[in-house]
Amino acid sequence: MLADSIAKLQQQALESLAAAETLPQLEQLRIAYLGKQGEITALLKQLKQATPEDKKIIGQLANTAKQSISAALLAKQKLLQQQQLNAQLEQETLDVSLPGRAQATGSLHPVTLTEQRVVQLLGQLGFEVAEGPEIEDDYHNFAALNIPADHPARAMQDTFYFDDGMLLRTHTSSVQVRVMEQQTPPLRIITPGRVYRRDSDQTHTPMFHQVEGLLLDSSTNFLELQATLRTFLEAFFDCKLALRVRPSYFPFTEPSAEIDIAFNRHTRVVSAEVNADTEWLEVLGCGMVHPRVLQAAKIDPEHYQGFAFGVGLDRLAMLRYGIADLRLMFEHDIKFLRQFTDLEGFL
Amino acid sequence: MNLSYAWLQAYLPGLKLNSAQAAEQLTMLGLEVDAILPVAHAFTKVVVGQIIAAAPHPDADRLQLCQVDIGDADPLPIVCGAANARNGLKVAVAQVGACLGEKQDFKIKKSKIRGQLSQGMLCSSEELGISESATGILELPADAPIGKDLRLYLNLDDEVLDIDLTPNRGDCASILGVARELAVSQQLRLPQPSTTPKPPSLQQQCAVNLVEPSLAPLFLTQVIQAPAFPHMLPVVWQQRLLRAGLRPVHPIVDVLNLVMLEYGTPLHAYDAKKLQGDLQVQSAVAGTKVTLLDGKSYTLQQQDLVVTDDARVLALAGIMGAEAVAVDHTTTEVVLEAAYFSASQIARSARAHSIHSDSAYRFERGVDYSMQQQALQRVVEMLQQLVPEMASGPIYEQISAEHLPQRQPVVLRQRQISRLLGFRITDKEVEHTLTGLGMQVQIEQRSANPENKTHQTGQVESWQVIPPSWRFDIQLEVDILEELMRVYGYQRLQSVALAWPQQIQQVNTRRSLQSQARCLLAQAGFHEVRSYAFVDSKLNQLFNPQHQPKMVANPLAKEQAAMRTSLWPGLLQAAQYNLNRQHKQVRLFELATCFVPTTDTAEIEQSLHLAGVIVGSRQPQQWSVAEEHVDFYDLKAHVEALLAIYLDAPVTDIAYSCFEAPGEGELPAALHPGQSARVMWQKQHLGYIGKIHPHCFDIYDLNPHFKDIYLFELYLDRLPLPPVVCYQPITSLPSMRRDLALLVPESLRVKTIIEFILNFAQVKLPQAKLQVLPFDQYQDSSLGHLQKSLAISLTFEPTSRTLIDEEINKFIQELVEELQGSLKAQLRGM
């Protein structure tokens, strides 16, 4: 009799559980069947009046029923929880194709990026950065560099003057003079900075940027100058280059040279081979430091020698990034500026 | 400098190079050839013709119908529109089938022009590519041979070398000079200039007095006479002049120019009939006015050197002659001048008057002082070819030998060659090269021969080298080394490996901080600009009224004259440029030198500034964020982040608005007085931040659409280098937080409240480290006039033991009472 009730109850409970659709319903069923006031408990209470034998058999039956209902309840609970989570996940689905929440991205000026690259590359050869004033005196910009007052080389560099005789430096070589006055060889320095010449047209701006290098020791010769600059230029452009070193003239170096790199006139890209499409492009001026420049800095040219070189940072930047018009550098157009986001060498 | 390559070849007969090879050679010798220019288009079928009849076209006002003889049986009928087409004229005739134009794409056909048959075209020099522009058809000399191919007649297969001479190589500003270089590198014999003058047929001399022998140590004159001089040069000479970029003006002047081009010796001619008395070469009388050959009037200064006669100034010596004594087509008697003037004298004087003449160009670079006689003889010889009956007088010569440039021997040491250049050049090659360049070379010292111990046959240790009269750039041993390497050939130099001792560089902290600052700004959306250091003084004044900027004396434009004392003028212009081009979010910065006058001295401090501007949207336009505009606190966040690179001070410490701290100095007039501040740190003024003042919009002509422009500027040189981070022990004890909502007087600054709380905590709760952060502030009418609501959080971090609620609650209670009592700040309930 009691056994029948148990079987019926189990049957009924399992059916209800199977029909339950929500977790609250399931909780109600748990209370109804397995709770303290639940039906299984009520059945078990009736056992008190049964015989010990019946107690044993019925007890077992009741326990089995209880376990089976609990197991079914648990399984159903898991199922419903899973369904609920699935529903929640589905509801939370985003359109992942929408763009990310954007922050503004800025940029560094191509000349800054180029300067950093040059400083880092030459730094590996032991060249340290030195800086100096942009408003200079005649002595440091000209006289100490073997450019006396009526020298025709002054006409090569149209100079901005001030009423007191000071001037805007026409090259960063002036910094070399200041370093030589304060330090003794061996020296390896580079001097990046702004320079000014009174010139403005398609290929000239009245302000532009240079980096000059100076190396002084007791033995460095012209062949080493050539090797250093080849190493540097190939590292800068990150490829083998065809170079042409040809004689030139600078008052502050002797012998002097200019270095041209081979450039394909159609693709406008530097190249390692020389052929019919080659155009030579001047990138760098250099030479052995003139003895008069050393003497002006009270350095004995019989004991010390070395080389100096100068390169236009704007020119290098234009070549590296394929910029055709120098004036873009100083027009501040965000459409131009925002292209230089790589921050290379800064991070 | 432009030179006809055919002329060069004629001068150096052994030269076997084509123009491109010669150009490469010259470039590698240090005479950079910028371009090889054709002297005409590559046309064919153009011949010399003569107009034998010219009649007006019956149906066109401006056309003529010409009959042109080109040597064929019948003359060609050709319709021509040029006004100078006239009977008897020798012309360039493009025959039917000729192809003209730069690309030979203009074909001459037999045609009818307004009903008249035309069999060819009379060409202008422009149509033939001989000159860039022309009026009318090309007029050929009367002796031009009819029927001759024009290419042959004018040698139009010639090319022009455009050589970019460096200032030390004035000696190469001539055919002779360039030929000398090629002769050395090609191992050719250079023909020595030689002339065979007729003996003088005149008595006349023109005496000269050298008043300033140090400036004019050599002066030669010669008188020539002819019943008349011709009007035109032979066509070959004319072409040489034109190809050098000189225009024929007068046959005498033209011949002087040709000789200058050939030898590099500037020459001058005076009409003898216009002279009075002897010549004097002397300093000018200050204030004298003279009109020179360029037609311009010049006021002379005492430092100018002039050639005068008894009456007037005849020439600005070595630079340009006076118009009044110039030769013209009535001239029959001429005084020729060949002189040597001091290079620096000519440079100074020509620059002072801004005169660029071919003569000054050569003199200021140094002219061979041994060629003047030769040059005069060459002039006479050439003129006598033109006018066989021309008579010439003896050369009158004044020389102050002691004032001529002196050629000192230079010692060249063989070991110095390898020491400085890095490779050896044999004794024989040294001597051969230097001799070829015109130097006198003598062995100074030999080392002992190890075999017989005598010095006679040992290795050369050194030479004595005397440079030639045409070289002004050989004074030191290195100058000779360069000559050796130049001729040896830079292209022959070996590549070597670098073998330097390595040393580790010191980190340049200032530069690395600048890089960090740049990076920080770039990552915050700023674009870096680089603007000119000279700005409009009006704008600079606006941003920096207390400083009078240093002014460039010779600016390119009035708006580029003031050396900036602030980066703001440039940045604002850059921002404006972009705002006018539809950019809605503009953030720019610049890191550059400014030139600030110091207050007590006239000195200029050249200091590094970092400045930025922000305007427009706070974030880029996007789907999830409503558009908001930047404000003061966006700007301040950037500045705080920048300062954190340099300082380890709490960020609340850096700004004081001038409204709140009067007496701290004036704000720049360009800033909004209520939304701007000086950046202060430990009583150091580090810069400014703030909003641009509304009145700037008119002054600056700013786009009124963007009213809210924010700027900052920091003086980087005043910032200290940050110390190395010093680790602070961290605690795992729990911290406690309390929030307070206060109603405070509107004028009370948040900073005052925070400092008050921190001070109070230091006394009352030393066992905790307190952090105070405002997290909300608002004002509205419900709060009453002059009140604002401020919410702040207090985070207590225990230093030694766990804090308990009671001590924090007690502290808060006391704090609230104190805030009310001291600052009139009331608790609003939590």
Side-chain angles (χ1 to χ4, degrees):
Chain A
M1 170 69 200
L2 207 51
D4 284 352
S5 308
I6 288 169
K8 214 173 137 193
L9 189 65
Q10 181 179 352
Q11 169 82 14
Q12 187 191 341
L14 291 176
E15 280 169 10
S16 309
L17 283 175
E21 284 179 344
T22 66
L23 285 167
Q25 279 174 11
L26 205 62
E27 178 62 10
Q28 275 176 10
L29 290 174
R30 188 189 66 78
I31 294 164
Y33 289 104
L34 302 176
K36 282 182 184 168
Q37 315 290 321
E39 300 204 26
I40 296 280
T41 319
L43 264 177
L44 288 174
K45 275 180 187 160
Q46 292 178 27
L47 269 183
K48 286 176 187 167
Q49 288 117 38
T51 60
E53 241 164 63
D54 279 357
K55 264 188 188 171
K56 198 178 167 191
I57 297 163
I58 304 293
Q60 268 177 359
L61 278 174
N63 263 330
T64 312
K66 190 177 174 183
Q67 276 165 13
S68 129
I69 294 169
S70 289
L73 184 94
L74 208 65
K76 185 71 183 191
Q77 192 179 14
K78 269 193 181 159
L79 181 74
L80 287 180
Q81 276 172 345
Q82 186 61 48
Q83 282 175 355
Q84 190 183 39
L85 185 63
N86 285 349
Q88 184 194 341
L89 291 178
E90 196 172 334
Q91 206 179 21
E92 288 172 358
T93 300
L94 300 180
D95 177 356
V96 295
S97 71
L98 276 168
R101 197 159 289 125
Q103 295 298 312
T105 41
S107 61
L108 294 184
H109 196 278
V111 168
T112 303
L113 295 171
T114 304
E115 178 187 305
Q116 186 82 348
R117 186 171 173 86
V118 169
V119 166
Q120 287 183 350
L121 292 174
L122 289 169
Q124 294 178 42
L125 290 178
F127 288 89
E128 290 186 31
V129 171
E131 285 164 309
E134 294 175 32
I135 296 180
E136 253 304 356
D137 53 39
D138 189 277
Y139 177 78
H140 287 93
N141 195 75
F142 289 125
L145 289 162
N146 193 29
I147 315 174
D150 298 314
H151 198 286
R154 292 209 182 191
M156 287 161 90
Q157 304 180 354
D158 258 333
T159 310
F160 287 110
Y161 283 99
F162 298 97
D163 285 334
D164 57 5
M166 299 290 278
L167 49 86
L168 281 169
R169 67 179 179 197
T170 58
H171 44 212
T172 51
S173 312
S174 52
V175 184
Q176 296 177 7
V177 177
R178 291 183 176 274
V179 170
M180 284 191 283
E181 284 170 351
Q182 283 154 19
Q183 298 176 34
T184 49
L187 284 177
R188 261 178 239 183
I189 55 156
I190 41 173
T191 60
R194 280 175 202 75
V195 297
Y196 305 86
R197 291 186 199 169
R198 210 173 167 283
D199 209 351
S200 184
D201 57 33
Q202 271 207 310
T203 53
H204 296 91
T205 48
M207 184 190 88
F208 57 103
H209 303 84
Q210 272 190 342
V211 61
E212 303 231 347
L214 171 74
L215 179 147
L216 283 183
D217 59 20
S218 55
S219 69
T220 296
N221 60 43
F222 191 88
L223 290 188
E224 287 161 325
L225 156 64
Q226 198 180 258
T228 307
L229 295 178
R230 171 176 286 277
T231 305
F232 161 64
L233 286 172
E234 291 189 338
F236 182 85
F237 288 105
D238 203 12
C239 63
K240 283 264 165 245
L241 296 174
L243 298 183
R244 182 170 80 169
V245 183
R246 59 183 162 77
S248 187
Y249 169 76
F250 306 104
F252 34 90
T253 52
E254 186 85 358
S256 303
E258 272 176 332
I259 298 187
D260 303 333
I261 58 177
F263 184 75
N264 184 302
R265 77 178 90 233
H266 303 302
T267 62
R268 317 299 289 164
V269 171
V270 295
S271 77
E273 54 183 280
V274 179
N275 54 37
D277 293 331
T278 296
E279 189 175 310
W280 290 107
L281 210 68
E282 177 194 324
V283 287
L284 206 147
C286 58
M288 302 302 291
V289 181
H290 200 289
R292 290 214 183 102
V293 173
L294 294 176
Q295 278 159 351
K298 304 205 164 43
I299 294 173
D300 182 357
E302 285 296 308
H303 288 103
Y304 293 107
Q305 64 185 38
F307 62 72
F309 60 90
V311 54
L313 286 171
D314 318 76
R315 166 57 73 90
L316 283 184
M318 289 170 75
L319 283 173
R320 182 161 156 78
Y321 298 114
I323 302 165
D325 188 345
L326 171 67
R327 292 170 299 184
L328 281 170
M329 301 273 200
F330 306 104
E331 266 170 10
H332 322 305
D333 195 324
I334 287 179
K335 286 181 187 168
F336 169 79
L337 297 171
R338 70 180 171 205
Q339 299 180 31
F340 303 95
T341 50
D342 62 358
L343 306 192
E344 186 206 310
F346 281 85
L347 296 175
Chain B
M1 180 187 63
N2 287 0
L3 281 183
S4 151
Y5 187 61
W7 191 3
L8 191 62
Q9 281 177 308
Y11 197 90
L12 191 61
L15 189 61
K16 294 286 183 283
L17 306 177
N18 66 29
S19 59
Q21 291 164 329
E24 174 70 16
Q25 271 296 322
L26 289 171
T27 297
M28 291 311 294
L29 283 164
L31 310 182
E32 188 184 2
V33 177
D34 276 349
I36 305 170
L37 309 164
V39 300
H41 293 156
F43 56 81
T44 53
K45 296 200 76 169
V46 179
V47 297
V48 177
Q50 184 171 29
I51 302 176
I52 52 172
H57 188 292
D59 293 321
D61 287 348
R62 301 216 173 125
L63 297 180
Q64 293 188 79
L65 180 56
C66 303
Q67 298 298 321
V68 183
D69 177 8
I70 60 163
D72 293 347
D74 297 320
L76 295 173
I78 296 177
V79 176
C80 180
N84 64 334
R86 59 186 182 270
N87 199 3
L89 186 67
K90 293 277 179 74
V91 290
V93 186
Q95 295 169 271
V96 170
C99 296
L100 305 185
E102 211 175 332
K103 296 175 181 143
Q104 288 82 60
D105 48 3
F106 174 41
K107 194 164 180 188
I108 303 299
K109 294 177 196 142
K110 188 166 157 181
S111 61
K112 277 202 168 167
I113 298 173
R114 298 242 177 154
Q116 296 296 323
L117 183 68
S118 185
Q119 285 184 298
M121 187 174 97
L122 305 186
C123 305
S124 72
S125 56
E126 184 184 352
E127 285 156 343
L128 298 173
I130 295 174
S131 67
E132 280 183 13
S133 64
T135 49
I137 53 172
L138 179 62
E139 300 194 13
L140 295 174
D143 60 357
I146 290 171
K148 175 132 181 162
D149 186 331
L150 191 76
R151 293 203 81 81
L152 295 176
Y153 176 58
L154 293 180
N155 190 14
L156 295 180
D157 292 322
D158 187 14
E159 286 165 303
V160 169
L161 299 185
D162 175 3
I163 304 177
D164 185 10
L165 282 186
T166 54
N168 59 325
R169 294 310 303 273
D171 64 297
C172 289
S174 63
I175 289 284
L176 170 63
V178 175
R180 188 186 289 128
E181 293 284 308
L182 282 174
V184 172
S185 82
Q186 295 297 299
Q187 318 264 355
L188 298 173
R189 205 187 60 79
L190 179 72
Q192 289 310 303
S194 71
T195 47
T196 46
K198 290 184 193 163
S201 47
L202 280 179
Q203 294 302 312
Q204 280 98 318
Q205 285 200 330
C206 177
V208 184
N209 179 19
L210 302 182
V211 183
E212 296 283 353
S214 62
L215 303 178
L218 182 145
F219 203 103
L220 273 57
T221 62
Q222 187 172 15
V223 180
I224 55 172
Q225 255 181 19
F229 287 96
H231 289 272
M232 250 192 169
L233 283 185
V235 71
V236 174
W237 293 1
Q238 216 180 64
Q239 289 302 318
R240 285 179 175 177
L241 266 188
L242 287 168
R243 286 166 200 180
L246 299 181
R247 299 190 69 74
V249 279
H250 181 284
I252 295 174
V253 176
D254 297 344
V255 165
L256 296 181
N257 280 335
L258 283 167
V259 174
M260 175 185 74
L261 290 171
E262 189 170 322
Y263 291 167
T265 318
L267 300 160
H268 193 58
Y270 306 98
D271 188 329
K273 297 261 169 67
K274 299 174 185 166
L275 304 184
Q276 294 177 34
D278 294 348
L279 303 190
Q280 313 273 338
V281 188
Q282 58 186 346
S283 295
V285 175
T288 310
K289 282 195 163 43
V290 61
T291 302
L292 299 183
L293 285 167
D294 60 4
K296 293 184 198 157
S297 170
Y298 294 89
T299 304
L300 302 179
Q301 296 159 339
Q302 216 220 314
Q303 53 266 44
D304 292 320
L305 186 71
V306 289
V307 181
T308 61
D309 64 1
D310 292 349
R312 55 190 165 182
V313 171
L314 310 179
L316 189 52
I319 299 173
M320 200 177 275
E323 200 177 41
V325 289
V327 292
D328 58 36
H329 289 291
T330 64
T331 301
T332 54
E333 187 176 332
V334 177
V335 173
L336 300 173
E337 165 197 311
Y340 175 82
F341 300 108
S342 132
S344 56
Q345 167 62 32
I346 301 298
R348 236 185 341 258
S349 194
R351 200 163 307 156
H353 293 292
S354 298
I355 302 177
H356 303 277
S357 70
D358 290 299
S359 174
Y361 175 89
R362 286 170 175 78
F363 275 124
E364 67 180 39
R365 283 161 175 76
V367 159
D368 187 348
Y369 51 84
S370 73
M371 281 296 287
Q372 281 71 16
Q373 181 151 353
Q374 196 97 45
L376 284 182
Q377 286 170 0
R378 179 79 175 126
V379 170
V380 170
E381 184 184 70
M382 286 174 74
L383 284 173
Q384 277 171 345
Q385 284 180 37
L386 288 183
V387 194
E389 66 275 29
M390 190 189 88
S392 62
I395 291 176
Y396 180 90
E397 191 175 77
Q398 273 290 349
I399 301 180
S400 172
E402 56 176 316
H403 292 110
L404 281 174
Q406 306 299 315
R407 291 290 177 253
Q408 303 295 341
V410 182
V411 173
L412 169 67
R413 293 164 293 175
Q414 173 60 276
R415 69 179 155 82
Q416 196 68 1
I417 299 175
S418 35
R419 177 170 175 243
L420 207 75
L421 304 185
F423 58 97
R424 262 190 68 82
I425 301 178
T426 63
D427 294 351
K428 209 179 132 203
E429 197 171 349
V430 168
E431 287 166 14
H432 185 75
T433 301
L434 297 182
T435 313
L437 289 168
M439 310 205 193
Q440 296 171 45
V441 185
Q442 259 192 345
I443 292 169
E444 190 195 55
Q445 206 175 342
R446 285 181 190 272
S447 61
N449 188 324
E451 282 170 22
N452 57 17
K453 310 273 185 234
T454 68
H455 287 257
Q456 260 73 44
T457 55
Q459 296 272 311
V460 177
E461 281 198 342
S462 59
W463 293 271
Q464 277 206 350
V465 181
I466 300 178
S469 52
W470 57 85
R471 293 298 294 264
F472 289 77
D473 58 335
I474 312 282
Q475 288 149 18
L476 302 175
E477 191 178 29
V478 279
D479 300 326
I480 298 177
L481 292 178
E482 181 177 63
E483 294 301 297
L484 289 174
M485 191 162 76
R486 209 164 62 78
V487 176
Y488 178 88
Y490 280 36
Q491 68 276 17
R492 277 170 69 195
L493 301 184
Q494 301 292 310
S495 196
V496 295
L498 295 175
W500 287 339
Q502 278 302 311
Q503 57 193 18
I504 293 179
Q505 283 186 75
Q506 289 263 299
V507 173
N508 186 331
T509 312
R510 278 224 171 260
R511 274 188 73 85
S512 113
L513 292 172
Q514 286 161 24
S515 295
Q516 276 186 55
R518 281 191 157 107
C519 242
L520 186 143
L521 288 169
Q523 289 176 326
F526 284 79
H527 300 286
E528 186 187 18
V529 300
R530 285 178 176 252
S531 52
Y532 293 157
F534 19 65
V535 297
D536 191 340
S537 66
K538 231 175 54 205
L539 300 183
N540 200 71
Q541 170 82 13
L542 198 59
F543 288 102
N544 219 332
Q546 68 272 42
H547 292 135
Q548 195 53 46
K550 201 168 175 72
M551 302 295 287
V552 177
N554 56 341
L556 280 175
K558 191 166 94 304
E559 298 74 29
Q560 293 183 356
M563 294 308 293
R564 60 185 170 196
T565 58
S566 158
L567 296 173
W568 284 348
L571 276 172
L572 207 53
Q573 275 176 325
Q576 181 70 3
Y577 178 98
N578 286 291
L579 289 173
N580 288 342
R581 283 165 181 75
Q582 298 164 305
H583 290 282
K584 292 203 158 154
Q585 186 189 28
V586 172
R587 294 179 185 203
L588 304 170
F589 81 95
E590 180 162 15
L591 196 165
T593 308
C594 289
F595 307 87
V596 187
T598 50
T599 36
D600 38 353
T601 63
E603 293 289 297
I604 294 284
E605 194 187 331
Q606 304 189 36
S607 54
L608 206 57
H609 291 199
L610 171 59
V613 56
I614 61 175
V615 50
S617 309
R618 180 173 289 153
Q619 276 156 317
Q621 195 188 357
Q622 55 192 299
W623 61 275
S624 70
V625 179
E627 192 185 351
E628 283 184 335
H629 282 170
V630 290
D631 65 18
F632 178 86
Y633 300 105
D634 291 301
L635 179 78
K636 194 176 172 190
H638 295 306
V639 172
E640 285 166 346
L642 283 171
L643 289 169
I645 294 175
Y646 289 87
L647 309 174
D648 58 354
V651 288
T652 49
D653 229 25
I654 60 162
Y656 296 92
S657 153
C658 284
F659 265 177
E660 293 160 344
E664 292 275 354
E666 292 278 306
L667 271 179
L671 293 182
H672 185 305
Q675 290 195 28
S676 302
R678 290 154 63 90
V679 180
M680 300 295 295
W681 177 75
Q682 293 188 348
K683 302 203 169 152
Q684 268 263 59
H685 177 204
L686 300 183
Y688 289 105
I689 57 175
K691 182 178 177 174
I692 195 157
H693 197 293
H695 73 200
C696 291
F697 283 79
D698 294 334
I699 303 171
Y700 227 118
D701 195 24
L702 288 173
N703 186 336
H705 187 61
F706 298 93
K707 285 279 184 208
D708 301 321
I709 298 178
Y710 296 89
L711 298 159
F712 74 84
E713 180 154 37
L714 295 174
Y715 312 139
L716 291 190
D717 294 340
R718 298 188 192 173
L719 287 162
L721 298 180
V724 176
V725 170
C726 179
Y727 161 76
Q728 300 290 311
I730 52 173
T731 170
S732 54
L733 299 172
S735 54
M736 293 179 124
R737 172 173 162 160
R738 293 287 187 279
D739 292 349
L740 292 181
L742 299 171
L743 198 61
V744 300
E746 194 200 357
S747 61
L748 191 60
R749 296 196 320 165
V750 170
K751 187 178 170 184
T752 312
I753 299 170
I754 291 174
E755 278 172 358
F756 182 88
I757 296 173
L758 287 173
N759 289 337
F760 189 71
Q762 215 165 28
V763 178
K764 296 285 181 178
L765 203 67
Q767 63 273 35
K769 212 163 82 189
L770 178 58
Q771 200 190 12
V772 185
L773 276 179
F775 64 90
D776 192 25
Q777 169 183 285
Y778 75 94
Q779 266 171 294
D780 70 37
S781 52
S782 70
L783 297 175
H785 191 47
L786 299 178
Q787 294 274 69
K788 64 183 173 188
S789 163
L790 180 69
I792 50 179
S793 77
L794 287 69
T795 307
F796 301 89
E797 194 177 282
T799 49
S800 52
R801 58 165 178 83
T802 306
L803 297 168
I804 50 173
D805 273 342
E806 284 71 24
E807 58 188 334
I808 300 299
N809 292 346
K810 180 164 171 280
F811 169 79
I812 293 288
Q813 202 179 354
E814 289 173 3
L815 174 66
V816 168
E817 282 168 20
E818 202 61 35
L819 281 172
Q820 184 154 20
S822 298
L823 297 180
K824 300 197 167 52
Q826 290 168 17
L827 194 65
R828 287 195 77 207
M830 307 288 273

